[in-house]
Every structure is written in C-alpha cells, then in structure tokens.
Amino acid sequence: MIRADFRRCGNDITGFTVKGHAGYADNGQDIICAGVSSAIMLTVNTITDFIKADADIDINHENTGYAYFELKRPYKKEASVMLEAFSAHLKLLEEDYGHIMVRISDTHE
C-alpha cells in the first residue's frame, strides 16, 4: 500500500509525504508505483525548476518508496496549485486501482 499524506496550511497544500509500495504487480511491472513515481518527479521538478519555489526535499530512489516535500515560506500560489493537481491525480489512481491511500491534513502554522 502506498500512503500519500498531504499537508494543508489554510487553503494551500504546502507539502506531502509518500511512502510504501503498491504491491499491484512484481517490481518493474507495477504500473501504480510507476505512475506515482512519475507524478512525484513531475510535481517536484515543476515546482522547483519552473515555478522556482524553494522547498525541503528528501526522495529516496533506492527501493524504499519514500518521498518528502515541503514548500518553504513565502508560499507561491502556483506551487500550491501544482500540489493540488498532484493530490487529485493520486486520488484518481486510488479510485481506479486501489493500493493507494490519500489523506490531506491541516497544519496549524
């Protein structure tokens, strides 16, 4: 099971932690893990390279299924919109395939 926990501050999603493996198919054949990994990299690279938002990032590619991302203040609205799109994408994967649990929690910053 992949668990995706998004953090919201006010109206804006400001970060996420994704961990685990879908277990949908054998390693190298798991379309859910591949889809989630690709979406993570697209999201992170768009926010940092094109939107130019600063963030704390910890992504472990070595078969651990772990990614942490947190925007630094001041938040850029475009970055939060990208994180909203990423969470919506994962929710669709959750609905279509299962093997993913998506949660959004409020932070009290």
Side-chain angles (χ1 to χ4, degrees), residues 41-105:
M41 295 313 299
L42 175 66
T43 301
V44 169
N45 290 335
T46 298
I47 290 172
T48 59
D49 296 348
F50 295 95
I51 297 172
K52 303 291 187 198
D54 290 328
D56 289 323
I57 305 166
D58 182 9
I59 298 175
N60 190 327
H61 297 288
E62 298 301 318
N63 202 28
T64 62
Y66 176 81
Y68 170 86
F69 181 90
E70 188 67 37
L71 290 172
K72 293 182 180 178
R73 290 181 185 263
Y75 302 135
K76 291 189 175 185
K77 186 63 178 176
E78 299 90 345
S80 181
V81 169
M82 188 68 194
L83 291 170
E84 289 280 355
F86 175 46
S87 80
H89 179 71
L90 292 188
K91 286 177 190 174
L92 288 174
L93 288 175
E94 178 182 33
E95 290 171 12
D96 289 348
Y97 295 99
H99 300 269
I100 302 175
M101 181 181 357
V102 179
R103 294 188 180 168
I104 300 176
S105 59

Coordinates of all heavy atoms in Angstrom, one line a residue, residues 41-105:
M41 N 8.0 13.0 -9.5 CA 9.1 13.7 -10.1 C 8.6 14.9 -10.9 O 9.2 16.0 -10.9 CB 9.9 12.8 -10.9 CG 10.6 11.7 -10.1 SD 11.5 12.3 -8.6 CE 12.7 13.4 -9.3
L42 N 7.5 14.7 -11.6 CA 6.9 15.8 -12.4 C 6.5 17.0 -11.5 O 6.8 18.2 -11.8 CB 5.7 15.4 -13.2 CG 4.9 16.5 -14.0 CD1 5.8 17.0 -15.1 CD2 3.7 15.9 -14.5
T43 N 5.9 16.7 -10.4 CA 5.5 17.7 -9.4 C 6.6 18.4 -8.8 O 6.7 19.7 -8.9 CB 4.6 17.1 -8.3 OG1 3.5 16.4 -8.9 CG2 4.2 18.1 -7.3
V44 N 7.6 17.7 -8.3 CA 8.8 18.3 -7.7 C 9.6 19.1 -8.6 O 9.9 20.3 -8.4 CB 9.6 17.2 -7.0 CG1 11.0 17.8 -6.5 CG2 8.9 16.6 -5.8
N45 N 9.8 18.6 -9.8 CA 10.6 19.3 -10.8 C 9.9 20.5 -11.3 O 10.6 21.6 -11.6 CB 11.0 18.4 -12.0 CG 12.0 17.4 -11.5 OD1 12.8 17.6 -10.6 ND2 12.1 16.2 -12.2
T46 N 8.6 20.5 -11.5 CA 7.9 21.7 -12.0 C 7.9 22.8 -10.9 O 8.2 23.9 -11.3 CB 6.4 21.3 -12.3 OG1 6.4 20.3 -13.3 CG2 5.6 22.5 -12.7
I47 N 7.7 22.4 -9.7 CA 7.7 23.4 -8.6 C 9.1 24.0 -8.4 O 9.2 25.2 -8.3 CB 7.2 22.8 -7.3 CG1 5.7 22.5 -7.4 CG2 7.5 23.7 -6.1 CD1 5.1 21.7 -6.3
T48 N 10.1 23.2 -8.4 CA 11.5 23.8 -8.1 C 12.2 24.4 -9.4 O 12.8 25.4 -9.3 CB 12.4 22.7 -7.5 OG1 12.5 21.6 -8.4 CG2 11.8 22.2 -6.2
D49 N 12.0 23.8 -10.5 CA 12.7 24.2 -11.7 C 12.0 25.3 -12.6 O 12.6 26.1 -13.2 CB 13.1 23.0 -12.6 CG 14.0 22.0 -12.0 OD1 14.6 22.4 -10.9 OD2 14.2 20.9 -12.5
F50 N 10.7 25.2 -12.6 CA 9.9 26.1 -13.4 C 9.2 27.2 -12.6 O 9.2 28.4 -13.0 CB 8.9 25.4 -14.3 CG 9.6 24.5 -15.3 CD1 9.8 23.1 -15.0 CD2 10.1 25.0 -16.5 CE1 10.5 22.3 -15.9 CE2 10.7 24.2 -17.4 CZ 11.0 22.8 -17.1
I51 N 8.6 26.9 -11.5 CA 7.9 27.8 -10.7 C 9.0 28.6 -9.8 O 8.8 29.7 -9.4 CB 6.8 27.2 -9.8 CG1 5.7 26.6 -10.7 CG2 6.2 28.2 -8.8 CD1 4.7 25.8 -10.0
K52 N 10.1 27.9 -9.6 CA 11.2 28.4 -8.8 C 10.9 28.7 -7.3 O 11.3 29.6 -6.7 CB 11.7 29.8 -9.4 CG 12.2 29.7 -10.9 CD 13.4 28.9 -11.0 CE 13.9 28.9 -12.4 NZ 14.9 27.9 -12.8
A53 N 10.1 27.7 -6.8 CA 9.8 27.8 -5.4 C 10.8 27.0 -4.6 O 11.3 26.0 -5.0 CB 8.4 27.2 -5.1
D54 N 11.1 27.5 -3.4 CA 12.1 26.8 -2.5 C 11.3 25.7 -1.7 O 10.2 26.0 -1.3 CB 12.7 27.8 -1.6 CG 13.7 28.7 -2.3 OD1 14.3 28.3 -3.3 OD2 13.9 29.9 -1.8
A55 N 12.0 24.6 -1.5 CA 11.4 23.5 -0.8 C 12.4 22.6 -0.1 O 13.6 22.6 -0.5 CB 10.5 22.7 -1.7
D56 N 12.0 22.0 1.0 CA 12.8 20.9 1.6 C 12.3 19.6 0.9 O 11.1 19.3 0.7 CB 12.5 20.8 3.1 CG 13.1 21.9 3.8 OD1 14.2 22.4 3.5 OD2 12.4 22.4 4.8
I57 N 13.3 18.8 0.4 CA 13.0 17.7 -0.4 C 13.9 16.5 0.1 O 15.1 16.7 0.3 CB 13.4 17.9 -1.9 CG1 12.6 19.1 -2.4 CG2 13.0 16.6 -2.7 CD1 13.1 19.6 -3.8
D58 N 13.3 15.3 0.2 CA 14.0 14.1 0.5 C 13.3 13.0 -0.2 O 12.2 12.6 0.1 CB 14.0 13.8 2.0 CG 14.8 12.6 2.4 OD1 15.5 12.0 1.6 OD2 14.6 12.1 3.6
I59 N 14.0 12.5 -1.3 CA 13.4 11.5 -2.1 C 14.5 10.3 -2.2 O 15.6 10.6 -2.5 CB 13.1 11.9 -3.5 CG1 12.0 13.0 -3.5 CG2 12.6 10.8 -4.4 CD1 11.7 13.7 -4.8
N60 N 14.0 9.1 -1.8 CA 14.9 8.0 -1.8 C 14.5 7.1 -2.9 O 13.5 6.4 -2.8 CB 14.9 7.3 -0.4 CG 15.9 6.3 -0.3 OD1 16.3 5.6 -1.2 ND2 16.4 6.1 0.9
H61 N 15.3 7.0 -3.9 CA 15.1 6.1 -5.1 C 15.5 4.7 -4.8 O 15.2 3.8 -5.7 CB 15.8 6.6 -6.3 CG 15.4 8.0 -6.7 ND1 14.2 8.2 -7.3 CD2 16.0 9.2 -6.6 CE1 14.1 9.5 -7.6 NE2 15.2 10.1 -7.2
E62 N 16.1 4.4 -3.8 CA 16.7 3.0 -3.6 C 15.7 2.1 -3.0 O 15.9 1.5 -1.9 CB 17.9 3.1 -2.7 CG 19.1 3.9 -3.3 CD 19.6 3.4 -4.6 OE1 19.7 2.2 -4.7 OE2 19.8 4.2 -5.5
N63 N 14.6 1.8 -3.7 CA 13.6 0.8 -3.4 C 13.0 1.0 -2.0 O 12.5 0.0 -1.4 CB 14.3 -0.6 -3.4 CG 13.3 -1.7 -3.6 OD1 12.2 -1.5 -4.2 ND2 13.6 -2.9 -3.2
T64 N 13.0 2.2 -1.5 CA 12.3 2.4 -0.2 C 10.9 3.0 -0.3 O 10.1 3.0 0.6 CB 13.1 3.3 0.7 OG1 13.2 4.6 0.1 CG2 14.5 2.7 1.1
G65 N 10.6 3.5 -1.5 CA 9.3 4.1 -1.7 C 9.0 5.3 -0.8 O 8.0 5.3 -0.2
Y66 N 9.9 6.2 -0.7 CA 9.8 7.3 0.2 C 10.1 8.7 -0.5 O 11.1 8.8 -1.2 CB 10.7 7.2 1.4 CG 10.7 8.4 2.4 CD1 9.7 8.5 3.3 CD2 11.6 9.4 2.3 CE1 9.6 9.5 4.2 CE2 11.6 10.5 3.1 CZ 10.6 10.5 4.1 OH 10.5 11.6 4.9
A67 N 9.2 9.6 -0.3 CA 9.4 11.0 -0.8 C 8.8 12.0 0.2 O 7.6 11.8 0.6 CB 8.8 11.1 -2.2
Y68 N 9.5 13.0 0.5 CA 9.1 14.1 1.4 C 9.3 15.4 0.6 O 10.4 15.6 0.0 CB 9.9 14.1 2.7 CG 9.6 15.3 3.5 CD1 8.6 15.3 4.4 CD2 10.5 16.4 3.5 CE1 8.3 16.5 5.2 CE2 10.2 17.5 4.2 CZ 9.2 17.6 5.1 OH 8.9 18.7 5.9
F69 N 8.3 16.3 0.7 CA 8.4 17.6 0.0 C 7.7 18.6 0.9 O 6.5 18.3 1.2 CB 7.8 17.5 -1.4 CG 7.9 18.7 -2.2 CD1 9.0 19.0 -3.0 CD2 6.9 19.7 -2.1 CE1 9.0 20.2 -3.7 CE2 6.9 20.9 -2.8 CZ 8.0 21.1 -3.6
E70 N 8.3 19.7 1.1 CA 7.6 20.8 1.9 C 8.1 22.1 1.4 O 9.3 22.4 1.3 CB 8.0 20.7 3.4 CG 7.2 21.6 4.3 CD 5.7 21.2 4.3 OE1 5.4 20.0 4.3 OE2 4.9 22.2 4.4
L71 N 7.1 22.9 0.9 CA 7.4 24.3 0.5 C 7.9 25.1 1.6 O 7.5 25.0 2.7 CB 6.1 24.9 -0.1 CG 5.6 24.4 -1.4 CD1 4.2 25.0 -1.7 CD2 6.5 24.6 -2.5
K72 N 8.9 26.0 1.2 CA 9.4 27.0 2.2 C 8.6 28.3 2.0 O 8.1 28.6 0.9 CB 10.8 27.2 2.0 CG 11.7 26.0 2.3 CD 13.2 26.4 2.2 CE 14.1 25.2 2.5 NZ 15.5 25.5 2.3
R73 N 8.4 29.0 3.1 CA 7.8 30.3 3.0 C 8.7 31.3 2.3 O 9.9 31.2 2.5 CB 7.4 30.8 4.4 CG 6.3 30.0 5.0 CD 5.9 30.5 6.4 NE 5.0 29.7 7.1 CZ 3.7 29.9 7.1 NH1 3.2 31.0 6.5 NH2 2.9 29.1 7.7
P74 N 8.2 32.3 1.7 CA 6.7 32.5 1.4 C 6.2 31.6 0.3 O 7.0 31.3 -0.6 CB 6.7 34.0 0.9 CG 8.0 34.2 0.3 CD 9.0 33.4 1.1
Y75 N 5.0 31.0 0.5 CA 4.5 30.1 -0.4 C 4.1 30.8 -1.7 O 3.6 31.9 -1.7 CB 3.2 29.4 0.2 CG 3.4 28.7 1.5 CD1 2.5 28.9 2.5 CD2 4.5 27.9 1.7 CE1 2.7 28.2 3.7 CE2 4.7 27.2 2.9 CZ 3.8 27.4 3.9 OH 3.9 26.7 5.1
K76 N 4.4 30.1 -2.8 CA 4.0 30.6 -4.1 C 2.7 29.9 -4.5 O 2.6 28.6 -4.4 CB 5.0 30.3 -5.2 CG 6.3 31.1 -5.0 CD 7.2 31.0 -6.1 CE 8.4 32.0 -6.0 NZ 9.3 31.9 -7.1
K77 N 1.7 30.6 -4.9 CA 0.4 30.1 -5.2 C 0.4 29.0 -6.3 O -0.2 28.0 -6.2 CB -0.6 31.2 -5.6 CG -2.0 30.7 -5.8 CD -2.6 30.2 -4.5 CE -4.0 29.8 -4.7 NZ -4.6 29.2 -3.5
E78 N 1.3 29.3 -7.3 CA 1.4 28.3 -8.4 C 1.9 26.9 -7.9 O 1.5 25.9 -8.4 CB 2.4 28.8 -9.5 CG 1.9 30.1 -10.1 CD 2.5 31.4 -9.4 OE1 2.9 31.2 -8.2 OE2 2.4 32.4 -10.0
A79 N 2.8 27.0 -6.9 CA 3.3 25.7 -6.3 C 2.2 25.0 -5.6 O 2.1 23.7 -5.7 CB 4.5 26.0 -5.4
S80 N 1.4 25.7 -4.9 CA 0.3 25.0 -4.2 C -0.7 24.4 -5.2 O -1.3 23.4 -5.0 CB -0.4 26.0 -3.3 OG -1.5 25.4 -2.6
V81 N -0.9 25.1 -6.3 CA -1.9 24.6 -7.3 C -1.3 23.3 -7.9 O -2.0 22.4 -8.1 CB -2.1 25.7 -8.4 CG1 -2.8 25.1 -9.6 CG2 -2.9 26.9 -7.9
M82 N 0.0 23.3 -8.1 CA 0.6 22.1 -8.6 C 0.5 20.9 -7.6 O 0.2 19.8 -8.0 CB 2.1 22.3 -8.9 CG 2.8 21.2 -9.6 SD 2.2 21.0 -11.3 CE 2.9 19.4 -11.7
L83 N 0.6 21.2 -6.3 CA 0.4 20.2 -5.3 C -1.0 19.7 -5.2 O -1.3 18.5 -5.0 CB 0.9 20.7 -3.9 CG 2.4 20.9 -3.8 CD1 2.7 21.6 -2.5 CD2 3.1 19.5 -3.9
E84 N -2.0 20.6 -5.5 CA -3.4 20.3 -5.5 C -3.6 19.3 -6.7 O -4.3 18.3 -6.6 CB -4.3 21.5 -5.7 CG -4.4 22.4 -4.5 CD -5.4 21.9 -3.5 OE1 -6.1 20.9 -3.7 OE2 -5.5 22.5 -2.4
A85 N -3.0 19.6 -7.8 CA -3.1 18.7 -9.0 C -2.5 17.4 -8.8 O -3.1 16.3 -9.1 CB -2.5 19.4 -10.2
F86 N -1.4 17.3 -8.1 CA -0.8 16.0 -7.7 C -1.7 15.2 -6.8 O -1.9 14.0 -7.0 CB 0.6 16.3 -7.1 CG 1.3 15.1 -6.6 CD1 1.4 13.9 -7.3 CD2 1.9 15.1 -5.3 CE1 2.1 12.8 -6.9 CE2 2.6 14.0 -4.9 CZ 2.7 12.9 -5.6
S87 N -2.2 15.9 -5.8 CA -3.1 15.1 -4.9 C -4.4 14.6 -5.6 O -4.8 13.5 -5.4 CB -3.5 16.0 -3.7 OG -4.5 16.9 -4.0
A88 N -4.9 15.4 -6.6 CA -6.1 15.0 -7.4 C -5.7 13.8 -8.2 O -6.5 12.8 -8.4 CB -6.6 16.1 -8.2
H89 N -4.5 13.8 -8.8 CA -4.0 12.7 -9.6 C -3.9 11.4 -8.8 O -4.4 10.3 -9.2 CB -2.7 13.0 -10.2 CG -2.1 12.0 -11.0 ND1 -2.5 11.6 -12.3 CD2 -1.0 11.2 -10.8 CE1 -1.8 10.7 -12.8 NE2 -0.9 10.4 -11.9
L90 N -3.4 11.5 -7.6 CA -3.3 10.3 -6.8 C -4.6 9.8 -6.3 O -4.9 8.6 -6.2 CB -2.4 10.6 -5.6 CG -0.9 10.8 -5.8 CD1 -0.1 10.9 -4.5 CD2 -0.3 9.7 -6.8
K91 N -5.6 10.7 -6.1 CA -6.9 10.3 -5.7 C -7.6 9.5 -6.8 O -8.3 8.6 -6.6 CB -7.8 11.5 -5.3 CG -7.4 12.1 -4.0 CD -8.3 13.4 -3.7 CE -7.8 14.1 -2.5 NZ -8.5 15.4 -2.3
L92 N -7.4 10.0 -8.1 CA -7.9 9.2 -9.2 C -7.3 7.8 -9.3 O -8.0 6.8 -9.6 CB -7.7 10.0 -10.5 CG -8.5 11.2 -10.7 CD1 -8.1 12.0 -11.9 CD2 -10.0 10.9 -10.8
L93 N -6.0 7.7 -9.1 CA -5.3 6.4 -9.1 C -5.9 5.6 -7.9 O -6.1 4.4 -8.1 CB -3.8 6.5 -8.9 CG -3.1 7.1 -10.1 CD1 -1.6 7.2 -9.8 CD2 -3.2 6.1 -11.3
E94 N -6.2 6.2 -6.8 CA -6.7 5.5 -5.7 C -8.1 4.9 -6.0 O -8.4 3.7 -5.7 CB -6.8 6.4 -4.5 CG -7.5 5.8 -3.2 CD -7.6 6.8 -2.1 OE1 -7.8 8.0 -2.4 OE2 -7.5 6.4 -0.9
E95 N -8.9 5.7 -6.7 CA -10.3 5.3 -7.1 C -10.2 4.2 -8.1 O -11.0 3.2 -8.1 CB -11.1 6.5 -7.6 CG -11.5 7.5 -6.5 CD -12.1 8.8 -7.1 OE1 -12.4 8.8 -8.3 OE2 -12.2 9.7 -6.4
D96 N -9.3 4.3 -9.1 CA -9.3 3.4 -10.2 C -8.6 2.1 -9.9 O -9.0 1.0 -10.4 CB -8.6 4.0 -11.4 CG -9.4 5.1 -12.1 OD1 -10.6 5.3 -11.8 OD2 -8.8 5.9 -12.9
Y97 N -7.6 2.1 -9.0 CA -6.8 0.9 -8.8 C -6.7 0.4 -7.4 O -6.3 -0.7 -7.1 CB -5.3 1.1 -9.3 CG -5.2 1.3 -10.8 CD1 -5.1 2.6 -11.3 CD2 -5.2 0.2 -11.6 CE1 -5.0 2.8 -12.7 CE2 -5.1 0.4 -13.0 CZ -5.0 1.7 -13.5 OH -4.9 1.9 -14.9
G98 N -7.0 1.3 -6.4 CA -6.8 1.0 -5.0 C -5.3 1.0 -4.8 O -4.5 1.6 -5.5
H99 N -4.8 0.3 -3.7 CA -3.4 0.2 -3.4 C -2.8 1.5 -3.0 O -1.5 1.6 -2.9 CB -2.6 -0.4 -4.5 CG -3.0 -1.8 -4.9 ND1 -2.5 -2.9 -4.3 CD2 -4.0 -2.3 -5.7 CE1 -3.1 -4.0 -4.8 NE2 -4.0 -3.6 -5.7
I100 N -3.5 2.6 -2.9 CA -3.1 3.9 -2.5 C -4.1 4.5 -1.5 O -5.3 4.3 -1.7 CB -3.0 4.9 -3.7 CG1 -2.1 4.4 -4.8 CG2 -2.5 6.3 -3.2 CD1 -2.1 5.3 -6.0
M101 N -3.6 5.1 -0.5 CA -4.4 5.8 0.5 C -3.9 7.3 0.5 O -2.8 7.6 0.8 CB -4.3 5.2 1.9 CG -5.2 5.9 2.9 SD -5.1 5.3 4.6 CE -4.0 3.9 4.6
V102 N -4.8 8.2 0.2 CA -4.5 9.6 0.1 C -5.2 10.3 1.2 O -6.5 10.2 1.4 CB -5.0 10.2 -1.3 CG1 -4.6 11.7 -1.3 CG2 -4.3 9.5 -2.4
R103 N -4.5 11.1 2.0 CA -5.1 11.9 3.1 C -4.5 13.3 3.0 O -3.4 13.5 2.6 CB -4.7 11.3 4.4 CG -5.3 10.0 4.7 CD -5.0 9.5 6.1 NE -5.6 8.2 6.3 CZ -5.4 7.4 7.3 NH1 -4.6 7.8 8.2 NH2 -6.0 6.3 7.4
I104 N -5.4 14.3 3.4 CA -5.0 15.7 3.5 C -5.3 16.1 4.9 O -6.4 16.0 5.4 CB -5.7 16.5 2.5 CG1 -5.4 16.1 1.0 CG2 -5.3 18.0 2.6 CD1 -6.1 16.8 0.0
S105 N -4.3 16.7 5.6 CA -4.5 17.1 6.9 C -4.1 18.6 7.0 O -3.2 19.1 6.3 CB -3.7 16.3 7.9 OG -2.3 16.4 7.6

